[in-house]
Amino acid sequence: MKRSSGIRLCVTVAVGALSLALITGCSDGGSDKAESNTENAAQGSQKNTDKAHTAAELKKLILAQGDVDGYKVAAADALPGGRSGIKGDAKCRPLLYVLSGVAPADAPAETNRMATADKKPSAAASTDVEDMSADEVEKALTDSMSVDLTMVGLSSYDGDGAEKAFKAVSDAVAGCSGGFTGTAGGEPQKFTKVSAEKGSGTGDESVAYAAYGEPDAEDGTTPVSHAVVVRHGNVVATYYTMNVGAMVADKAYTVPAAVITAQSAKLK
């Protein structure tokens, strides 16, 4: 199995503090110029005078089981060290916050959930490993990890706080395109590149980006994670998706549109 050690290395990279946030979840944070959509720019530029939602109100607005077909939605556990344990360059830190499953800026209230895509068992699942070739074992391992895990977060702000939080992310995507380093969950994080992606087309304004880790020394596989941030009035919704199998196989994937659509519907 030529690439088996490469798979292990890539998975080790992928299942670092940031991806661990997806696999084990993140807490409610203690308070139970990139390519952005501009169609509602005029509305987005207006000052938001609403008061922040309470933690209880956000829990009613966050995605729940049954809201999106084909996904299991569950509560999330705590990221070691929480928000205070996330360190790094101030201008790039909002990206690291989103990739760690917490609000992009300090918020009076925030909450999150994990949305895991349903996965049908593959034909190889019923085959004894001893009867499989090295390539078949590798393929089966990659397939078993090929599932979208999406951390969905909501944070609410007073006044124009949501606009400022969103701008911090948007500015960071443009300002940190050459990569950045930091610490999350007690683990060092290094991204070699940040690239803007197509916004979601929902909410008052949205921005999307991909964050690239260091290429695997053996097979050159580059771990990449995708994030989308959307502002709905005084609420900021964040989405961070990881698919380890796709990373290993060097296949493209994105933040699932179905998850964004379902969450956006609850914020209208």
Side-chain angles (χ1 to χ4, degrees), residues 186-200:
E187 297 291 335
Q189 305 295 329
K190 182 175 182 178
F191 296 93
T192 60
K193 181 176 72 171
V194 175
S195 63
E197 299 190 314
K198 184 178 176 62
S200 69

Side-chain angles (χ1 to χ4, degrees), residues 97-153:
Y97 286 142
V98 174
L99 294 175
S100 301
V102 300
D106 286 326
E110 62 177 291
T111 190
N112 55 28
R113 294 293 182 270
M114 176 70 69
T116 304
D118 293 337
K119 185 172 179 60
K120 295 181 180 179
S122 66
S126 60
T127 304
D128 194 311
V129 174
E130 293 182 357
D131 297 328
M132 300 169 67
S133 68
D135 286 343
E136 289 173 334
V137 171
E138 181 179 348
K139 184 177 184 301
L141 177 60
T142 301
D143 182 69
S144 69
M145 298 184 295
S146 295
V147 57
D148 287 336
L149 303 172
T150 302
M151 182 69 74
V152 181

Side-chain angles (χ1 to χ4, degrees), residues 16-234:
L18 300 185
S19 295
L20 184 64
L22 282 175
I23 294 174
T24 65
C26 294
S27 69
D28 283 353
S31 59
D32 227 294
K33 210 139 226 183
E35 184 176 347
S36 60
N37 293 330
T38 58
E39 62 269 21
N40 292 319
Q43 179 179 353
S45 65
Q46 296 175 358
K47 295 296 182 183
N48 187 336
T49 58
D50 292 338
K51 300 293 278 184
H53 289 286
T54 65
E57 289 171 335
L58 282 185
K59 285 187 175 182
K60 292 180 180 179
L61 293 172
I62 191 75
L63 203 66
Q65 178 61 28
D67 285 340
V68 54
D69 292 339
Y71 288 83
K72 292 182 177 64
V73 179
D77 299 325
L79 178 73
R83 183 185 189 84
S84 61
I86 300 173
K87 308 294 184 182
D89 185 347
K91 74 173 183 179
C92 300
R93 204 179 305 149
L95 304 182
L96 198 52
Y97 286 142
V98 174
L99 294 175
S100 301
V102 300
D106 286 326
E110 62 177 291
T111 190
N112 55 28
R113 294 293 182 270
M114 176 70 69
T116 304
D118 293 337
K119 185 172 179 60
K120 295 181 180 179
S122 66
S126 60
T127 304
D128 194 311
V129 174
E130 293 182 357
D131 297 328
M132 300 169 67
S133 68
D135 286 343
E136 289 173 334
V137 171
E138 181 179 348
K139 184 177 184 301
L141 177 60
T142 301
D143 182 69
S144 69
M145 298 184 295
S146 295
V147 57
D148 287 336
L149 303 172
T150 302
M151 182 69 74
V152 181
L154 295 183
S155 52
S156 188
Y157 304 80
D158 293 315
D160 62 354
E163 292 176 18
K164 290 180 177 178
F166 178 86
K167 186 177 186 300
V169 176
S170 182
D171 287 349
V173 175
C176 304
S177 60
F180 64 96
T181 59
T183 302
E187 297 291 335
Q189 305 295 329
K190 182 175 182 178
F191 296 93
T192 60
K193 181 176 72 171
V194 175
S195 63
E197 299 190 314
K198 184 178 176 62
S200 69
T202 58
D204 296 313
E205 48 188 345
S206 71
V207 64
Y209 63 93
Y212 295 79
E214 293 184 292
D216 179 78
E218 182 173 328
D219 59 23
T221 302
T222 300
V224 57
S225 299
H226 299 272
V228 175
V229 178
V230 186
R231 184 179 67 81
H232 300 261
N234 69 339

